[in-house]
């Protein structure tokens, strides 16, 4: 649920290749609260939604395009509930991989996978590399997720503050970040 109402996925993908179950695999849709029926897709028109703020605004990516230098331009867009764009940034990558933008609660930043790393991209187009792959935002300046450890299928939870993006702080126990609780 967000301020607009319930949402889900349809069709739903129950797990990814090589990964476990997920809550946002598939096409994000609005759901009618009283009937449970799908009202319509969130995003669409070539913009693949991966995360939504509590306001109902969302972050999405568009398919990358090759530029004249032989690299790729990929657009990350933050949009309102009605689909109109709030802001976007075009990221240039070597391999076209820009994935899973997670929208900060203040909607001024997204954490996004770029090539084989993770960066936080601001509305101003500034970019900060961070030392792990986050699962989401605790607040608008703190990311949380699992430590990257190829030898451990159940790594410890950790967090990174934007004020110290190179410092990954382990919580000392394995787990999975599901989301924050809104009042």
């Amino acid at each position: 649920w967000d301020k607009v109402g319930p949402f889900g996925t349809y069709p739903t993908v129950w797990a990814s290749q090589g990964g476990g179950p997920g809550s946002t695999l598939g096409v994000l849709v609005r759901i009618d609260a009283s009937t449970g029926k799908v009202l319509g897709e969130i995003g669409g028109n070539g913009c693949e939604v991966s995360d939504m703020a509590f306001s109902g605004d969302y972050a999405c990516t568009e398919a990358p395009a090759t530029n004249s230098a032989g690299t790729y331009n990929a657009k990350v867009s933050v949009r309102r509930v009605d689909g109109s764009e709030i802001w976007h940034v075009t990221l240039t990558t070597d391999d076209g991989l820009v994935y899973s933008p997670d929208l900060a609660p203040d909607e001024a930043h997204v954490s996004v996978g770029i090539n084989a790393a993770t960066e936080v991209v601001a509305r101003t187009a500034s970019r900060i590399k961070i030392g792990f792959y986050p699962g989401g935002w605790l607040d608008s300046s703190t990311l949380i997720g699992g430590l990257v450890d190829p030898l451990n299928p159940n790594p410890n939870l950790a967090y990174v503050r934007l004020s110290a993006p190179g410092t990954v702080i382990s919580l000392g126990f394995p787990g999975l970040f599901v989301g924050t609780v809104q009042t």
Side-chain angles (χ1 to χ4, degrees):
W1 288 72
D2 58 20
K3 282 178 138 180
V4 179
F7 59 89
T9 57
Y10 182 81
T12 296
V13 178
W14 292 104
S16 64
Q17 181 179 351
S23 62
T24 57
L25 299 173
V27 177
L28 282 171
V29 293
R30 285 275 165 215
I31 307 292
D32 183 284
S34 59
T35 66
K37 292 187 180 201
V38 172
L39 297 175
E41 183 179 348
I42 299 169
N45 297 324
C47 202
E48 185 178 329
V49 178
S50 69
D51 191 40
M52 293 174 48
F54 183 66
S55 66
D57 296 342
Y58 56 89
C60 62
T61 54
E62 294 181 10
T66 307
N67 60 31
S68 60
T71 56
Y72 296 87
N73 291 334
K75 182 178 176 182
V76 175
S77 180
V78 175
R79 299 186 181 191
R80 292 178 186 87
V81 174
D82 66 8
S84 61
E85 189 170 76
I86 300 169
W87 62 276
H88 77 270
V89 63
T90 301
L91 303 170
T92 302
T93 71
D94 295 333
D95 60 9
L97 291 178
V98 173
Y99 51 92
S100 301
D102 285 324
L103 187 56
D106 66 1
E107 301 181 24
H109 299 87
V110 293
S111 66
V112 62
I114 301 172
N115 295 328
T118 302
E119 295 184 19
V120 173
V121 181
R123 185 177 190 152
T124 61
S126 66
R127 294 166 66 168
I128 303 169
K129 290 188 180 191
I130 57 174
F132 80 135
Y133 189 75
W137 293 85
L138 285 178
D139 57 41
S140 293
S141 62
T142 310
L143 288 149
I144 187 166
L147 289 170
V148 176
D149 182 354
L151 300 177
N152 184 352
N154 194 18
N156 284 346
L157 276 173
Y159 66 93
V160 170
R161 296 187 195 282
L162 294 185
S163 59
T167 304
V168 180
I169 300 166
S170 174
L171 295 177
F173 56 87
L176 180 65
F177 175 72
V178 179
T180 57
V181 176
Q182 302 287 333
T183 58

